[in-house]
Amino acid sequence: QKEVEQDPGPLSVPEGAIVSLNCTYSNSAFQYFMWYRQYSRKGPELLMYTYSSGNKEDGRFTAQVDKSSKYISLFIRDSQPSDSATYLCAMSAGTGGFKTIFGAGTRLFVKA
Amino acid sequence: GAVVSQHPSWVICKSGTSVKIECRSLDFQATTMFWYRQFPKQSLMLMATSNEGSKATYEQGVEKDKFLINHASLTLSTLTVTSAHPEDSSFYICSATGVGQKVNEQFFGPGTRLTVL
């Protein structure tokens, strides 16, 4: 079993839809949770950073962490064609030699 | 926000030659830099972690004599692919974290596409 599981998609939605992207994990020591967006042939860009459980909102993006279920989500409201990209979840237990583990990435297509 | 650059953005070389890729943090001091490899439609594969002034720590299965990493300053790390072969063709991405960043907050460079003929 992988430490982090993420459905690779692709996920195709119409413009304006609410998008839900998810990751599950097995390591209960993870405390830091990130979402990255990666456009084709580009480096990943940090979208959301969350410590421990709870919600965080930034514009059209909302990140949720449920540590009891070992489940994290990224919601995108009013999705736009420019949101079409691969979204990677990432998580870590902290510093001192703890690595950041990345999910496989979910490919999202938002159709105009 | 924190900016990380990579150079070159793409490179084509002949089999057997060596290629150097530079990763620079432009507006912060990068105490730790990471090098990743990414194949098409796959996630990031961590190759090595380098701390400024120290030897890099390589992941299992990554040949340290083939992928030479140097992190001589707080703003520059280099990856040299020695005696490159076609199977080394890939997208190489660096990331950095350091002074002023949150725990495990990595900022990625734009990547370097290496094609070995």
Side-chain angles (χ1 to χ4, degrees):
Chain A
Q1 182 190 10
K2 292 181 182 177
E3 275 194 284
V4 177
E5 299 275 2
Q6 184 176 12
D7 188 335
L11 178 62
S12 183
V13 302
E15 183 176 359
I18 296 175
V19 176
S20 172
L21 303 168
N22 312 294
C23 287
T24 58
Y25 61 95
S26 57
N27 188 345
S28 58
F30 287 148
Q31 297 186 76
Y32 300 89
F33 304 92
M34 286 74 70
W35 285 96
Y36 288 85
R37 176 175 63 195
Q38 185 177 22
Y39 291 112
S40 182
R41 297 174 179 255
K42 301 289 183 184
E45 170 194 9
L46 181 64
L47 275 181
M48 302 291 280
Y49 177 99
T50 310
Y51 170 69
S52 194
S53 283
N55 295 358
K56 183 175 183 180
E57 187 174 322
D58 184 1
R60 295 185 295 112
F61 299 90
T62 300
Q64 285 186 354
V65 175
D66 182 349
K67 292 186 69 178
S68 62
S69 301
K70 298 191 182 68
Y71 188 88
I72 69 170
S73 301
L74 177 70
F75 297 96
I76 306 174
R77 289 185 300 281
D78 188 25
S79 56
Q80 303 295 310
S82 58
D83 295 327
S84 298
T86 296
Y87 291 81
L88 298 125
C89 64
M91 47 198 82
S92 171
T95 56
F98 292 108
K99 297 177 200 172
T100 298
I101 308 298
F102 287 84
T106 299
R107 296 179 68 202
L108 172 67
F109 295 95
V110 181
K111 299 173 292 184
Chain B
V3 181
V4 176
S5 70
Q6 262 183 262
H7 178 81
S9 56
W10 59 271
V11 58
I12 301 172
C13 70
K14 292 182 179 179
S15 185
T17 60
S18 294
V19 175
K20 180 185 282 190
I21 301 170
E22 291 186 348
C23 177
R24 292 182 186 273
S25 59
L26 300 185
D27 53 3
F28 69 100
Q29 294 181 319
T31 51
T32 304
M33 285 185 166
F34 305 88
W35 285 95
Y36 294 86
R37 187 172 178 176
Q38 188 176 37
F39 291 104
K41 298 183 183 180
Q42 294 190 26
S43 189
L44 304 167
M45 184 190 85
L46 179 64
M47 298 175 67
T49 302
S50 74
N51 294 300
E52 186 265 337
S54 302
K55 288 185 178 180
T57 301
Y58 290 81
E59 294 300 301
Q60 192 172 10
V62 177
E63 300 175 58
K64 56 181 160 184
D65 293 331
K66 180 166 188 62
F67 298 99
L68 301 178
I69 292 172
N70 183 280
H71 190 170
S73 79
L74 284 171
T75 58
L76 174 65
S77 177
T78 59
L79 167 67
T80 301
V81 183
T82 61
S83 186
H85 290 283
E87 57 267 28
D88 299 323
S89 298
S90 190
F91 193 51
Y92 292 87
I93 312 175
C94 72
S95 72
T97 190
V99 178
Q101 312 308 331
K102 298 173 189 169
V103 173
N104 295 120
E105 187 176 32
Q106 295 182 40
F107 292 91
F108 285 83
T112 297
R113 184 158 302 280
L114 170 63
T115 300
V116 184
L117 303 176

